[in-house]
Amino acid sequence: MYVIYYMPTGTASPETFENLRLELRRGCLTLAVLAQLRQERYGYTLRKALADDGLAIDEGTLYPLLRRLENQGLLVSQWREEDKRNKRFYRLSPDGEQILNQLMDEWQAMNASLSKILQEA
């Protein structure tokens, strides 16, 4: 027995698009953050570098992501005083470098496949 569901065309809500856009963006941001942290940065300079490259990210997204990546062993951080303020600097750990390289390979393979699929569409 098969059940087929039909969705009326042209009725996708703006919320549906926004949810899918955020889902797509979430994985891309992780890869971008890891790539940016090949060079040591603190939160503000990381946010600025991402925004300068077209990937704006708010603090409420960035700092939980940094904590999660550090808990996974992909980042290391260190508190230091700079300009008379304590700042937390982040950089890739050795495991983070390995994972970044694997993710970049995966990204390139997926991007090539998607480019082919989208050209055929």
Side-chain angles (χ1 to χ4, degrees):
M1 178 174 164
Y2 293 97
V3 178
I4 299 174
Y5 295 94
Y6 291 98
M7 292 202 52
T9 58
T11 60
S13 69
E15 295 83 21
T16 299
F17 170 76
E18 186 61 19
N19 289 338
L20 292 171
R21 185 185 74 80
L22 290 173
E23 188 176 323
L24 179 63
R25 188 173 149 80
R26 194 170 293 121
C28 295
L29 284 173
T30 299
L31 181 58
V33 165
L34 290 172
Q36 285 289 330
L37 289 176
R38 288 178 285 198
Q39 174 185 342
E40 185 179 70
R41 299 175 188 272
Y42 67 96
Y44 175 78
T45 58
L46 175 58
R47 279 187 68 214
K48 183 163 178 11
L50 290 167
D52 289 349
D53 289 335
L55 280 175
I57 183 172
D58 63 40
E59 290 179 7
T61 300
L62 178 61
Y63 290 104
L65 174 59
L66 290 171
R67 283 191 296 276
R68 181 173 57 83
L69 293 171
E70 187 171 21
N71 288 336
Q72 292 172 335
L74 304 180
L75 302 179
V76 292
S77 68
Q78 178 183 28
W79 285 99
R80 287 202 307 263
E81 187 175 321
E82 184 179 276
D83 301 326
K84 298 183 181 184
R85 295 181 57 207
N86 283 329
K87 297 177 182 179
R88 192 171 190 168
F89 287 81
Y90 297 89
R91 64 179 167 77
L92 285 180
S93 69
D95 285 348
E97 290 180 35
Q98 179 183 353
I99 293 292
L100 173 59
N101 288 329
Q102 292 172 327
L103 288 174
M104 287 190 312
D105 289 344
E106 185 69 19
W107 170 261
Q108 289 168 352
M110 287 177 58
N111 194 39
S113 294
L114 281 170
S115 292
K116 182 178 178 186
I117 291 167
L118 293 174
Q119 284 177 357
E120 294 171 357

